[in-house]
Amino acid sequence: MTTTLEAPPAAKTEHRPGRRPRRRATAPLIWLAPGLLLLLAVRYVPTLLGANYAFTDWNGISSVYNIVGLDNFQTIVKDPDSRRALVNTLVLALTVVIASNVLGMSLALALDSAIKTRNIVRAVFFAPAVLSPLATAYIWRYIFQIDGPLNHLFGAVGLGSWERSWLADPTWAQWAVAVVAVWQFTGLAMVIYLTGLQSIPAELTEAASVDGAGPWRRFRGITLPLLAPATTIALTLTTIMALGIFDQVVALTGGGPAGKTATLSTVIYEQTFSLGRFGYGTALAVILTVVISIASVTQLLVLRSRERRMR
């Protein structure tokens, strides 16, 4: 009688779907920890500690100050200049975000083609995004002067009625600031949208074209939905930058005429460093931080939800 030896059955390993090994999940956090700790120590902890001065009457010099509670915030609510600066900030940010993203996406679509000079043209449009905002704003200030190149151009082409003091006119000063900010932010938006366009498979648009879809239908049905992640990044970044516009306003108008171009950032600078009201300026800075946080987080959540619906 012969017996056959059978190998013992292999031990079954229990697999729980949806769970990752702990080592794999924690490894990225270990590598990110030094950078996160440095960011907390240099950026967020000082910001939180400095926010305490919003509840004081500190003048920035004296070692003695009083706790005033919410008095600074109550003064801000009652101050017409601060309320006007908040409105100016929101209007300017909305204008800049919409215009820079529309232009940036249009340029990206135009430059996402096989033209020979596309790299040079891309560099030209992206250059303003990496230049000093203060330096470029002073150049634009010269352009917008009453005897500057813009008015000379209008006079040379027979449009003398269009000549005006752009930065001293309450009606046009804010739009002049918006033009400079849009010119500087468009290049960044363009690069983000170009990156998104290059990740879209060419086979999809080619198949849609073969099926008879026109340019607008291909853009609306294929390109725009697949650009959703790039749109989220571009809109969020430009919103954060637009709400904190400072250099352009200081160089072009200084907040004038009559406060028409003053933003929360310029009022914070004026109250803190010019008038020595550090407690009041810190309260304004807290409000600006809250406005930027609410706007960016809300926008991010809405756009992320839109991305999920388009998948």
Side-chain angles (χ1 to χ4, degrees):
M1 180 176 179
T2 59
T3 59
T4 304
L5 297 178
E6 296 182 355
K12 295 183 179 180
T13 58
E14 183 179 359
H15 176 69
R16 296 181 181 179
R19 296 188 61 183
R20 295 181 179 179
R22 180 170 296 179
R23 179 180 298 177
R24 184 178 178 183
T26 57
L29 295 178
I30 294 175
W31 290 103
L32 288 174
L36 291 175
L37 292 175
L38 182 62
L39 182 63
L40 288 173
V42 175
R43 181 69 179 271
Y44 294 107
V45 172
T47 300
L48 293 175
L49 294 177
N52 293 326
Y53 292 109
F55 306 97
T56 69
D57 61 354
W58 187 43
N59 61 8
I61 299 175
S62 175
S63 59
V64 179
Y65 53 83
N66 300 313
I67 304 296
V68 297
L70 298 176
D71 288 355
N72 288 327
F73 295 95
Q74 293 174 354
T75 304
I76 292 172
V77 173
K78 298 177 182 178
D79 184 13
D81 292 336
S82 298
R83 294 200 304 268
R84 180 173 55 191
L86 175 60
V87 173
N88 291 342
T89 301
L90 296 176
V91 172
L92 182 62
L94 182 64
T95 304
V96 170
V97 169
I98 293 175
S100 61
N101 279 275
V102 170
L103 291 175
M105 183 178 292
S106 302
L107 288 173
L109 291 169
L111 296 176
D112 189 41
S113 57
I115 57 176
K116 293 182 179 179
T117 59
R118 66 182 183 277
N119 291 330
I120 297 176
V121 178
R122 290 174 185 175
V124 170
F125 282 111
F126 181 68
V130 296
L131 297 176
S132 168
L134 192 63
T136 54
Y138 276 113
I139 297 174
W140 277 97
R141 181 178 178 178
Y142 166 71
I143 294 173
F144 283 129
Q145 285 179 350
I146 188 66
D147 57 346
L150 183 60
N151 284 336
H152 283 308
L153 176 62
F154 287 148
V157 298
L159 297 175
S161 60
W162 290 19
E163 296 181 23
R164 63 190 77 249
S165 181
W166 299 96
L167 301 179
D169 190 328
T171 304
W172 293 99
Q174 192 172 35
W175 295 110
V177 175
V179 166
V180 177
V182 169
W183 175 78
Q184 196 144 34
F185 293 173
T186 297
L188 176 62
M190 179 197 71
V191 170
I192 295 173
Y193 287 121
L194 267 174
T195 305
L197 287 172
Q198 291 174 357
S199 66
I200 298 176
E203 295 81 3
L204 294 178
T205 54
E206 292 174 358
S209 179
V210 170
D211 291 339
W216 170 247
R217 190 174 178 183
R218 293 198 302 270
F219 172 76
R220 188 181 61 181
I222 297 176
T223 304
L224 192 58
L226 293 178
L227 272 181
T231 304
T232 300
I233 296 172
L235 286 174
T236 303
L237 288 179
T238 52
T239 298
I240 294 172
M241 294 189 298
L243 287 171
I245 286 178
F246 174 77
D247 295 343
Q248 294 88 343
V249 177
V250 170
L252 290 169
T253 63
K260 291 293 184 179
T261 61
T263 62
L264 283 177
S265 296
T266 60
V267 174
I268 291 169
Y269 176 83
E270 178 184 4
Q271 293 291 332
T272 304
F273 298 103
S274 299
L275 302 179
R277 302 174 66 186
F278 271 73
Y280 188 78
T282 304
L284 283 168
V286 170
I287 291 176
L288 178 59
T289 302
V290 171
V291 170
I292 292 176
S293 301
I294 292 175
S296 57
V297 171
T298 302
Q299 188 180 63
L300 188 61
L301 292 175
V302 171
L303 292 173
R304 288 295 188 189
S305 175
R306 175 175 171 267
E307 286 182 33
R308 289 192 291 269
R309 290 196 305 268
M310 286 185 172
R311 290 175 184 173

